[in-house]
Amino acid sequence: MKIAIGSDHAGFRLKEIIKHFLLTEGFEVEDVGTFTEESVDYPDYAFKVANLVSSGEFPFGILICGTGIGMSISANKVKGIRAALCNDLFTARFSREHNDANILCMGGRVIGEEVAKEIVKTFLSSTFQGGRHKRRVDKISDYESSTHCN
Ligand code: RB5
C-alpha cells in the first residue's frame, strides 16, 4: 500500500521515524517534505499530501506538525479529504471505523515515537464499518459537492 507523508519543521523528527517504520512494515512511502528542521509553513505540506490522496493516487496520507491541528485544518480544505487528528489509539481506530478518515494527523510535540507508531498501525489496520456511518460520511461529501466549485 502507498502512503503519502508530510510534516512541517515541528513534525520533521517524528515524520522521519514514521517514514522508516512504514518502510520496515512493507509500505511504499512518498515523502513530500519538509526535509530539515528549518521553519516552514504547515499548509504547504498539508495541501501536497491532501492532493495526492484526493487524486486517488494514494489511499492514505499522514501529516505531522507540532500539535497536528494546523495540518488537519488545512488538509480538510481539500475536496474528498477526511483528515483526523489522532494523538491516541482510540481515536485512531474510530477515525477509520466510523469516519472513514483518509489522512491521519499527529502532533510531533504531543506524543512520543512508540505511541505514534501504534497509532499509525491502528489507523492503517482498521476498516470503515459502513452502514449508518456511510450515511453520515455521505452527508459530508454531498455538502462538499454542493459548495465546492471544482
Ligand atoms: C509550528 O510552530 C506550529 O505552530 C505547527 O507545527 C503546528 O503545531 C500548528 O498547528
Side-chain angles (χ1 to χ4, degrees):
M1 189 193 289
K2 287 164 64 169
I3 310 291
I5 193 167
S7 75
D8 71 356
H9 53 287
F12 168 72
R13 207 187 64 82
L14 184 58
K15 187 256 290 171
E16 292 299 302
I17 289 164
I18 295 301
K19 179 173 66 181
H20 290 115
F21 172 68
L22 288 169
L23 290 170
T24 307
E25 295 282 307
F27 292 93
E28 261 184 70
V29 181
E30 172 85 13
D31 184 356
V32 305
T34 187
F35 299 107
T36 71
E37 286 187 295
E38 193 180 321
S39 182
V40 292
D41 299 332
Y42 58 81
D44 298 337
Y45 300 90
F47 296 145
K48 281 185 191 182
V49 166
N51 282 316
L52 288 173
V53 174
S54 176
S55 73
E57 202 186 330
F58 290 78
F60 296 112
I62 296 176
L63 285 165
I64 306 169
C65 60
T67 57
I69 296 170
M71 286 299 196
S72 54
I73 292 171
S74 306
N76 277 315
K77 298 296 178 194
V78 177
K79 193 173 182 190
I81 293 305
R82 292 176 298 278
L85 171 55
C86 305
N87 285 321
D88 63 85
L89 295 175
F90 185 84
T91 51
R93 174 180 161 197
F94 284 97
S95 74
R96 289 289 307 125
E97 291 191 356
H98 287 195
N99 311 112
D100 200 15
N102 49 17
I103 293 187
L104 167 66
C105 301
M106 296 183 289
R109 291 173 175 163
V110 181
I111 50 173
E113 64 183 76
E114 295 307 323
V115 171
K117 286 179 196 170
E118 288 300 318
I119 288 171
V120 168
K121 259 204 270 187
T122 301
F123 182 86
L124 294 175
S125 62
S126 300
T127 309
F128 183 47
Q129 287 179 346
R132 68 187 186 281
H133 305 296
K134 179 167 181 343
R135 183 179 73 240
R136 293 160 187 165
V137 169
D138 283 348
K139 285 191 178 186
I140 300 171
S141 308
D142 291 349
Y143 179 80
E144 188 178 53
S145 298
S146 72
T147 55
H148 270 63
C149 46
N150 57 351

